[in-house]
Amino acid sequence: MRKAVFSLAIVFAFALVAMAQTDGSNYAGTWTLDKSKSELGERSRLKSMTMTVTQTEAELTYERKAEMEESGDGDGMGRGGGMGRGGGMGRGGFGGGNQAATYDLSGKETSAAGGMGGSAKLKAEKKDGKLVLKQTREFEGPMGSMKLTTTEKWELSEDGKTLTVSSETSTPRGSRNSKMVFVKE
């Protein structure tokens, strides 16, 4: 009996830690971008985006799939956007693209493969009632070593049907801010 009570207490403690990190919010589901309510910036060529989020007590994973507008240069290739490589790098700040990431909800920083052969550091934390996801990517670009930092603040509406993601990306070319408003499907 003591072992069962002890085991239950440990499971309960881990659940409390995970809930404390995410403020008890459940972000899981399929989300569609509402462009009319979003602030994507004048350089964005984002046509549509769907984000699928899975969440356990230990981690949060998202996958974003984006469709980009044509660039208007007449070649049908959709060129333009981030880093002179076409429709952006898909890394959360270069105008869209597909991307995926997994964050440890205990607050522990983790490593992942970064874009263009580099590395990425990922960290999640609760701050001011929001889930803050930070990605720092380092890679070698055409002009040498580069570092990009994206900080996203996720906030759910009270009814859990609207997710607002405020993002700031710092690059060697300066900072870029956006606000994406998603509606749960």
Side-chain angles (χ1 to χ4, degrees):
M1 179 71 176
R2 285 186 202 177
K3 286 183 181 181
V5 171
F6 182 71
S7 296
L8 185 59
I10 288 175
V11 169
F12 184 69
F14 279 116
L16 285 176
V17 168
M19 286 178 62
Q21 288 297 321
T22 63
D23 196 25
S25 300
N26 186 351
Y27 300 93
T30 301
W31 301 87
T32 301
L33 181 70
D34 183 340
K35 280 185 65 174
S36 69
K37 295 181 181 175
S38 298
E39 298 169 12
L40 302 174
E42 59 190 57
R43 292 176 42 162
S44 174
R45 297 180 303 104
L46 189 61
K47 186 175 182 180
S48 66
M49 179 182 286
T50 302
M51 179 169 66
T52 303
V53 179
T54 56
Q55 181 178 346
T56 66
E57 292 177 10
E59 64 184 24
L60 179 134
T61 299
Y62 68 77
E63 181 179 358
R64 294 179 183 156
K65 294 184 179 179
E67 184 179 351
M68 306 304 289
E69 302 273 353
E70 292 294 325
S71 67
D73 62 7
D75 69 359
M77 298 297 289
R79 292 193 177 121
M83 305 301 293
R85 292 200 152 299
M89 291 179 15
R91 303 287 185 247
F94 283 96
N98 298 335
Q99 74 179 104
T102 300
Y103 289 85
D104 182 313
L105 293 176
S106 71
K108 176 181 158 189
E109 183 176 83
T110 59
S111 297
M116 300 178 78
S119 63
K121 301 281 186 198
L122 308 173
K123 185 169 182 166
E125 65 181 338
K126 186 185 86 169
K127 191 172 187 179
D128 299 327
K130 299 176 185 174
L131 179 63
V132 179
L133 305 179
K134 185 174 181 178
Q135 282 187 32
T136 302
R137 297 186 178 275
E138 295 184 28
F139 60 92
E140 290 297 320
M143 298 180 351
S145 199
M146 296 189 73
K147 182 177 180 179
L148 310 175
T149 302
T150 300
T151 303
E152 294 184 347
K153 295 178 183 173
W154 289 29
E155 184 173 13
L156 275 176
S157 62
E158 283 189 34
D159 64 5
K161 295 181 181 180
T162 303
L163 172 61
T164 302
V165 178
S166 300
S167 177
E168 179 180 1
T169 300
S170 299
T171 74
R173 292 180 161 175
S175 293
R176 194 170 305 142
N177 296 311
S178 68
K179 180 173 81 171
M180 296 185 291
V181 178
F182 292 91
V183 178
K184 196 169 195 174
E185 291 183 7

